[in-house]
Each structure stands twice: as C-alpha cells, then as structure tokens.
Amino acid sequence: MKLKRQKLERIGAGAPAQAQIVHAGQACVVKEDNISERVYTIRESDTLVLQCLVTGHPRPQVRWTKTAGSASDKFQETSVFNETLRIERIARTQGGRYYCKAENGVGVPAIKSIRVDVQYLDEPVLTVHQTVSDVRGNFYQEKTVFLRCTVSSNPPARFIWKRGSDTLSHSQDNGVDIYEPLYTQGETKVLKLKNLRPQDYASYTCQVSVRNVCGIPDKAITFRLTNTTAPPALKLSVNETLVVNPGENVTVQCLLTGGDPLPQLHWSHGPGPLPLGALAQGGTLSIPSVQARDSGYYNCTATNNVGNPAKKTVNLLVRSLKNATFQITPDMIKESENIQLGQDLKLSCHVDAVPQEKVTYQWFKNGKPARMSKRLLVTRNDPELPAITSSLELIDLHFSDYGTYLCMASFPGSPVPDLSIEVNISSETVPPTISVPKGRAVVIVREGSSAELQCEVRGKPRPPVLWSRVDKEAALLPSGLALEETPDGKLRLERVSRDMSGTYRCQTARYNGFNVRPREAQVQLTVHFPPEVEPSSQDVRQALGRPVLLRCSLLRGSPQRIASAVWRFKGQLLPPSPVVPAATEATDHAELRLDALTRDSSGSYECSVSNDVGSATCLFQVSAKAYSPEFYFDTPNPTRSHKVSKNYSYVLQWTQREPDAVDPVLNYRLSIRQLNQHNAMVKAIPVRRVEKGQLLEYILTDLRVPHSYEIRLTPYTTFGAGDMASRIIHYTEHNTCHFEDEKICGYTQDLTDNFDWTRQNALTQNPKRSPNTGPPTDISGTPEGYYMFIETSRPRELGDRARLVSPLYNASAKFYCVSFFYHMYGKHIGSLNLLVRSRNKGTVDTHAWSLSGNKGNAWQQTHVPINPSGPFQIIFEGVRGSGYLGDIAIDDVTLKKGECPRRQMDPNKVVVMPGSRATRLPSLQLWTSMAISLLALQR
C-alpha cells in the first residue's frame, strides 16, 4: 500500500450539529395531512426502529427523548443515547412524539421530532338493551331493542351491521336505525330495532374494520336475539351482611334467577384479591377457616351482555377485638388537668372491634362489677370520644372512689376471647410531663450507623410517646409515617442517611393516659457523612514550562469543612518544598501549584480531603500530551474509485482538539490496517503550526476495493505521543446519487423554504395518493428503488417551494456537468429549478436550469453545465403549481468534472415506461461510463 502525502491546507472547521430522523422499514400508511417523514405509522407489537442521521464537527452526540400523545403531557427522558432508537413489540401507550437531540458544543443543539402513530384494533364488545313503552293508553306495548357495539382502535374503526348475512342500513328498513352516540364518537355504533317485529328475532353481527391499515384484519362479534332474551338476575343464599366467628368455614351461593343467554358468574373481593385458599366455582364461594383479615366486601357479578350486569354484594365481617385503649379525663367544666377530690372524673374505654356496633363493655372496680349510682354513671357513645366508646363517670370524686378500674370488651355468646384494660386511680395518678435526658438534645451519628432519639415521660400512668418531624420539607418519618408511636419514648433509626438530619418532635399521647393537652419536647439529629469533592477525576493538559494550578473543592459534607488535605504524586506523599508548595489552608478547597510543568512532574496527582468523618479524593492526570484529533465525518464524496487498478482513494479530514493547550503538534503518525488483517502500515505526516478549528486533510491511496480499513491517528509534540483517535472507513461509490441510502448522499432540506422533499419508493407510497401525477417507481422501474419527490396535496398552496441542498463541493475544475432524471406528470405541474449556490465571496444562488408544465408520465434526463468560481452547492427547487396534481420527482443525480455531452437527450423521450422493471438504458450507461469521478474536494 502506498501513502500519498498531500499539502495540508488550513480550512476553518467546527460545524454545528444538524439532524434528520428516518425510520427503518416502511410505514403502514401515510396520512393525507402529514405526507412527510415526521409521521410514522406502525402496528402494535411490531418493532419500531428510528434513526437520527447527524452531521457536524466534532461528531455530535445523540439523545432521544419523548412526549406522550398530547403536548400537555409531561416530557419524559429516555435512556437512549444512540443514533438508533429501537423498541421491540411497541405498545399503543408508546405512541407519541419522539425527539432526537444532537449536540457537539458548536452553536445550538439540533432537535428534530417524529410522531409515532401506533395502529391497533381490539375485539369488539356487543351489549343489548331493551325498553318497553305503553302506546295509545295501554292498549298495547312497543318493545325496542338497542344493540350497542363498542371497540377500541386506532385509527377510528368503521362499523358494519348485519342481520344474518345481509348488511343493514337506514334506507332499506324503516324498523332499523343506526347511529353514533355523541359521547362516544368513533368508538361506538348503536343498532336500534324499533317496535320489535317477528323478523327482528335473528342473529346480528357487528363487524369492525380499520380498512386493513398495517395489515390489521377486520374483527366481528355476533349476538342472537330471541323472544326470551333477558338481562341477568341474581339472589344470594345469605344476608347482605354476614357476621361469622374466626376459624369457621364460609360458603356463599350466588343464584341465577334469570337471564338469556345464560349469564357468566364472577366473584371478586374489595380491597385486594380473594383470600388465599378461597375457591370460587360457578356461583359458589368457599372460604375455609376464615380469619379477621378476610373481612371485606365480596361481589358476585353476572353478565350476558344484555342490559346491565347484575351484582350482589356480601359484607363479610369476621368477629375480632384488638387495640384496647383508655383515657382519663379530669373535670372538663373546671378545665382541670389533675385529679382532685370533689371534682368530676371520667374514665373511657375503646376497643377496635368487628363488627364495632356489636361490642359490649363491662366495668369492674377492684375485681368486682361496678354498680351504677347517682355518682357513678356508665355511658356509651360519648360524643366527645371515638364511636362505640364506653365511659365511666365519677361525680364529686371521693377518697373511696380510688382503686383499680377494669374495662372489659366482649361479644356475648361468641368464642372470641374478651379483651380488657386496667387503669389505677389514686392520689398518685398525675398527668404526664416530657423532657429530653441531659446531653441527648442533640444526637450526632455517622451516616450508615444506628441512632436512638429519646424522650423521658413522667407521670402516672405513663402514656405512649408519639414522634414526628418538625421540618416542613420532610414531613414524614424515615418509616414513611407522619406519626410513630413508641411505648418507651425511644425512636430507633437504622442505617441513618443524611436526609434524616433535622428536628424531631416527641409528644405524649392522649390515650392510655390523661386526655389533656399533649406535652412536647424536641431532639436535633445531626448526621455526619464523608466529604464529596470535585473534580473526582480531571485530565489536566499544559505545555512544558508553564505553571499548573490544581484545586480540589469540597461540594458537601458534614461537618462542612476541610479538616486536612494531603497531596500525593504517583502514590508518594508530597512534602512542603519550594518546588512543590504545600496545599493552601482553606475550609472549602485545597490547592497545589506547580511553577513549571516538566517531564518529571508530569503524572498522577491525588488530593485526599478529610472532614474527620471520612475522606474523598480528587485525581488529576497532569501531562503535556496532545489531545486526540477529531475526525471530520461530513467530507463530501470522500471516496474515489480507480477502475483500472480496482483500487480507491479516501480523503481523510480532521481537526486537532485544543491544540493551544499543549506544545505545538509537530507531526501525526498515521496507521492503516485492513480489517481482518494483522499488519498495519505506519506513516509520519509532518505539519506546520496547527490552529484550533483548522481542518487538516490527507489522501489515502491504493486502498483495495471493496475492503474497509481501520485508521489510527496520533499527534506528536516535543513531549511525545499524544492521545490516539481511530475510525473505520468503508468503500462507497458517490459519483451518482440514487437516493437508496437514507442519508441521501449528504443532501439536506433547506430550512428557509415552505416544505420538504420526500424520499420514497413504490412500496412506501401513500395508498391514497393522488392519481394521474407522480411516478409509479424510480428510474429503475423496480418497486424497491427510491427517488425524491414533492407532494403538492394540501396543505400546499400555489407558489410553495421545496429546496433540496447538496453537500458543499470545493471547485477543482473550471466546468462541471450536473446530470439527473426528472418526472413531471400532472395537469397542475409547477416548475423544477436547478440553482448553484456559490460560497466564494458570500452566498449567492444562481439559476442554472428551469422547466415548467406537464412533461408526460415518463422519466426524462437532462444535463446542466455549471462553472462555479469557488466552493459551491447545487439546489433542486420544486415549485407547487395551481393544484394538487403537480407532483415532481428527481432521481440519479450525477456531478462530473468537465463539459456536458454535446447531444442532449430529447426531453420528451421516454426513458423508462411507468411500471417497467427494465434496467437503465444503454444511453444512460454511456454517460455513466464517460463520467469523470471527482477528486477529493477541499473545503
């Protein structure tokens, strides 16, 4: 292999990102309102593949994001950072607008979007409703039947009603009315049978269709209407409220009392599923050894698609007693908070019971039943207390009233054990106080360890302690509760995290103690955690002899200060010295200054920062190595083939990343290796001063067709080798653009026109496209061949323009010839213009060729000579005519050096018959064989 060195010229580079979204495969259908690449229709459960084709230098990074179906829905980030977005078995909920964002730090990011329309057709549901009305004073009755057919689909389904095999419509039968309810437009069709007649008893079919969109077949459902058709009816074998004891076996039967066709029965439970072990068989529900957790509502539902479903509900209550609590309420009239002789006193008792209203309470004093008297009253359902609460009131408390009171809750005649609670009343019974033990007001722990917050309660009896958070930003406790009860006043926290820091409140409960104003105290929790620093890792480049400043900054930590900072070089501790000064003292950062970078001081530096809890490290890789080059991927037509030698050459272009950060680049080492081969050829490329944004170019020659090669490029400075960059180059033929590649040979849509050119072939054509305009296939006559065209249907208007712009070519010859095929068929054809955009001194567009009007249903070729004076682009401009029958297409665009052929092909001569599968004509082959390939065009 021979490497031919070319003169490296300085050309400004650094292009902002541009993006274009294309899809793999063909769309199911293209809607008339959206004939563009931005709407992609796909069948549910198929695979969606979207590609974001990007240009720009440096190579842009691509990220995909998505919104749902409407613009008001929340924007959702995805984790896709590739040029290709692939979704296997796409669901209807994944339809919406997808955005491709390409950015490379030059200019503003490029954002393109495409709307994905997911097509589906569910099974239809048919329901029947009947009404009977009196007519003429009850002399007879009219029966009307409504058959309602509902389906979910996209696009909206078309409904067809049939009686037997005959299609029904308004006009053929006065007894039939077909309409669409207003509140379910597009999803429901109703067949109304008025004043039911004998012939109306028949089989009815609702057929739904989306007109074979995406190959989705029609679906249908059939119902047979008879004179016995009736909605379901039910009855239960038990009462609607069923109270049982725990451990019993429960059986509930749901009996059908009507319905034709025979209804289907279904049991459900709310909340949650049926209990484990429950068996629902037909209309019978069996629950063995029922437990308290099985309480709830059990629903039996019967459906036969006639009328409304029949539903019966059983409220199953499994007897239980739990959570017994008491309250001591001093004399409320006198607003007392203490027990005093001569004042009233109320003792209250509550138990959580199922069923709550069936629980009974009994009071005992010192082990004997409490007797009612004028001074001792027992009440139920005290309005000031929770429902179903029993209260014992002592009027004008005497010394003899002191003692131990017991409240016992029970279900009489039930095997459920009684539940009781005691409360002692004496001169020592006093309301609670709460405080934080000495030295426990502030608790400091390390992240990840356990913490215990403590509040001490005094009083008799001692109530539970309730904990909550004071911080408004963190209203919930670590357990996820807003309020947490602790019987001993200690809140235990495991695996403490930094977000648990804050103020915690402890307060006395108003149950199992005095029913008075809660007493409160507060505990401060401080969680210490190791520091977090930036940069965690940094690549520092600097030229030899220049100073270097390294800074390690504290982002966060607790305590929020640097206690110590230690610097190391290549793992060795750095002592203070004049050459390498010690880190400066600061609370939020540590610094290290190198007066002059040398080969010996290049290497790995490590700063270990501590805050007495832990440490974190900043890593710095300091060197004078040059950054890697950045390959330029948007070189126009980089490949040139040599038919005699069967070799090809490739124009390799790149820029140097941050060349001024280090010493000047002296040369590049180029390594070329054919893929699947081990040996590589290495060549040094000397350069003069390389500046930022300078586009460097080298032509690789004698590359073997059609092999691909791995290219490695390494910059060298006085320091030595820099960072290497690599890429793969492939053999491609760019002399003629057939538009078969989705990148359309580097052509782009003009952003200043009215609409875009569209790439399509016979397989992706809109089945509803306008007839009598546009080509049936590309120039090859095969359905797979692509071409570019403008769609002139609405919303296009007279004079709208679409421009297709070529890549930028650098003029290396005086004359060029642009050859292409065009198709201009339709009575509303506008104009097709070829312009040359010169970029020599400013930007100037010059008309080079123009054609207007209907030229017949045939592909025709033309050759246009141009003589650009500097870098140039060619522009195909399609102009919309007076109507929608004005589609214009182009194909097989060739740019050649030299003059055009002297003999122009007859513009009215048919090149390929519409629909023909013939290959290209000999005349086309002649011009192709005469084409002179473009050498590397320098920008």
Side-chain angles (χ1 to χ4, degrees), residues 831-843:
S831 301
L832 176 63
N833 303 319
L834 178 68
L835 298 88
V836 178
R837 175 171 292 173
S838 175
R839 292 185 176 271
N840 191 19
K841 295 181 179 179
T843 301

Side-chain angles (χ1 to χ4, degrees), residues 632-640 650-653 695 697 732 734-735 745-747 806-810 872-873 895 934-939:
Y632 188 62
F633 288 87
D634 302 325
T635 305
N637 301 331
T639 306
R640 178 192 176 191
Y650 193 92
V651 179
L652 186 69
Q653 294 181 313
L695 186 63
E697 178 180 298
T732 54
H734 288 290
N735 292 336
C745 313
Y747 281 75
S806 76
L808 182 65
Y809 302 111
N810 291 285
F872 68 96
Q873 295 169 287
L895 178 64
L934 282 177
L935 191 58
L937 297 175
Q938 297 180 350
R939 228 181 236 196

Side-chain angles (χ1 to χ4, degrees), residues 101 200 209 392 415 442-443 524 559 647 703 744 847 861 875 878 918:
K101 181 179 182 180
D200 292 331
S209 171
L392 185 147
V442 177
V443 178
Q524 179 71 33
N647 289 343
L703 305 176
I744 56 175
H847 274 267
Q861 189 183 34
I875 302 173

Side-chain angles (χ1 to χ4, degrees), residues 282-345:
T284 302
L285 174 66
S286 301
I287 307 175
S289 187
V290 72
Q291 301 300 318
R293 61 179 177 271
D294 300 331
S295 295
Y297 290 94
Y298 291 80
N299 306 306
C300 175
T301 306
T303 57
N304 67 349
N305 291 340
V306 179
N308 295 321
K311 182 178 180 181
K312 293 291 184 179
T313 300
V314 176
N315 183 14
L316 179 63
L317 301 176
V318 182
R319 292 186 179 94
S320 66
L321 296 171
K322 60 181 180 180
N323 299 334
T325 58
F326 70 87
Q327 289 180 314
I328 302 173
T329 307
D331 197 324
M332 299 181 61
I333 297 177
K334 298 182 180 181
E335 298 182 351
S336 175
E337 291 192 347
N338 294 284
I339 297 176
Q340 299 182 26
L341 296 177
Q343 293 186 357
D344 297 345
L345 180 68

Side-chain angles (χ1 to χ4, degrees), residues 673-678:
R673 182 183 64 86
Q674 182 180 318
L675 294 187
N676 301 323
Q677 299 289 331
H678 297 290

Side-chain angles (χ1 to χ4, degrees), residues 476-493:
L476 298 180
L477 292 165
S479 62
L481 302 174
L483 207 63
E484 186 171 337
E485 176 186 321
T486 60
D488 58 357
K490 296 179 180 179
L491 179 64
R492 296 172 177 85
L493 305 175

Side-chain angles (χ1 to χ4, degrees), residues 78-151:
T78 69
S79 58
V80 179
F81 286 85
N82 304 323
E83 292 187 8
T84 300
L85 173 68
R86 185 182 184 90
I87 301 177
E88 303 282 352
R89 300 186 60 80
I90 191 169
R92 64 191 64 178
T93 55
Q94 292 175 299
R97 186 162 294 279
Y98 287 80
Y99 292 84
C100 159
K101 181 179 182 180
E103 54 185 338
N104 62 354
V106 180
V108 297
I111 300 178
K112 294 293 183 180
S113 67
I114 183 170
R115 185 167 63 84
V116 175
D117 198 12
V118 181
Q119 311 281 278
Y120 58 90
L121 176 64
D122 291 344
E123 294 291 339
V125 177
L126 196 155
T127 57
V128 180
H129 299 268
Q130 305 177 85
T131 62
V132 178
S133 58
D134 296 329
V135 179
R136 296 182 181 179
N138 296 334
F139 285 107
Y140 68 94
Q141 292 180 326
E142 284 187 351
K143 188 174 184 179
T144 302
V145 174
F146 300 86
L147 286 86
R148 180 187 297 266
C149 186
T150 303
V151 71

